[in-house]
Amino acid sequence: MRNEFEKILITKEEIEQICARLGKQISEDYTGKELVVVGMLKGGAPFMMDLIKNITIPLTIDFMQISSFHGG
């Protein structure tokens, strides 16, 4: 498989560390509150899944589909 990217900006390990840190902080900040996590389809879903795996409190998941109209 050839490398199609010039360089990797953020490694998989860095993303995992960021998600762990954010998940912990969100869990602390929203303890006892209602948490709704909204992801943007389609590109945001993988990051959202990595993030919510690190949230330790109950939550509701939803998605929004967005599009842009060029010149309209």
Side-chain angles (χ1 to χ4, degrees):
M1 181 173 155
R2 81 173 207 262
N3 187 357
E4 297 181 24
F5 302 102
E6 186 174 318
K7 67 179 181 176
I8 296 174
L9 299 176
I10 302 173
T11 66
K12 178 183 178 191
E13 292 76 19
E14 289 172 314
I15 293 171
E16 289 170 353
Q17 291 171 356
I18 291 166
C19 287
R21 188 180 76 242
L22 287 173
K24 181 178 185 235
Q25 188 66 54
I26 291 168
S27 298
E28 291 172 2
D29 291 348
Y30 283 86
T31 296
K33 300 176 184 174
E34 181 179 3
L35 176 60
V36 179
V37 179
V38 180
M40 301 298 146
L41 292 173
K42 299 180 182 177
F47 174 77
M48 182 178 153
M49 295 302 116
D50 287 342
L51 176 61
I52 64 172
K53 285 190 283 186
N54 291 282
I55 297 175
T56 59
I57 60 172
L59 58 92
T60 301
I61 301 169
D62 207 346
F63 292 94
M64 292 178 64
Q65 183 172 1
I66 59 174
S67 61
S68 61
F69 298 93
H70 298 285

